């Protein structure tokens, strides 16, 4: 199981990443192991530990945004705020994709 340029097979067989259903064959690349799943109110949540890390990242990003907004003389304040807002949106979407709230068979997934 070697790594080739442009091939995600070895990476996707080890870890269930967001891009894995989109690469490889028509069904994507299946990982050999998954983390435990949790059933909450009839909804199966995949990889709850990954969701927890995404939630912590969103909270920390919100704290950084609040601290940046309090600095009135910071150079590049607007640019870094745009970066953090975009990062927060990406983290939120990644949480939905990792947890299975947006299923891989959905047209919105790609």
């Amino acid at each position: 199981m070697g790594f080739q340029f442009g091939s995600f097979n070895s990476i996707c067989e080890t870890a269930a990443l967001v891009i894995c259903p989109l690469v490889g064959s028509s069904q994507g690349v299946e990982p050999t192991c998954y983390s435990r799943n949790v059933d909450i109110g009839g909804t199966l949540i995949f990889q709850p530990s990954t969701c927890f890390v995404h939630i912590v990242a969103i909270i920390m990003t919100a704290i950084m945004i609040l601290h940046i907004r309090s600095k009135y003389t910071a150079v590049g304040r607007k640019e870094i705020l745009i970066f953090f807002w975009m990062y927060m949106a990406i983290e939120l979407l990644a949480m939905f994709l990792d947890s299975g709230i947006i299923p891989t068979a959905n047209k919105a997934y790609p």
Side-chain angles (χ1 to χ4, degrees), residues 16-18 34-40 43-55 91-104 109:
L17 301 175
V18 176
Y34 288 97
S35 64
R36 297 184 185 261
N37 303 329
V38 176
D39 185 16
I40 299 176
T43 302
L44 190 63
I45 303 294
F46 297 103
Q47 304 180 13
S49 58
T50 307
C51 289
F52 177 75
V53 171
H54 285 303
I55 291 170
E91 277 296 313
L92 188 65
L93 289 174
M95 183 174 65
F96 291 155
L97 293 173
D98 283 341
S99 65
I101 294 174
I102 300 175
T104 57
Y109 192 88

Side-chain angles (χ1 to χ4, degrees), residues 25-71:
S25 66
S26 62
Q27 296 294 320
V29 179
E30 282 284 322
T32 55
C33 67
Y34 288 97
S35 64
R36 297 184 185 261
N37 303 329
V38 176
D39 185 16
I40 299 176
T43 302
L44 190 63
I45 303 294
F46 297 103
Q47 304 180 13
S49 58
T50 307
C51 289
F52 177 75
V53 171
H54 285 303
I55 291 170
V56 169
I58 290 171
I59 291 170
M60 291 304 296
T61 306
I63 291 170
M64 287 188 276
I65 287 173
L66 290 174
H67 282 279
I68 291 170
R69 291 183 60 130
S70 67
K71 309 283 189 232

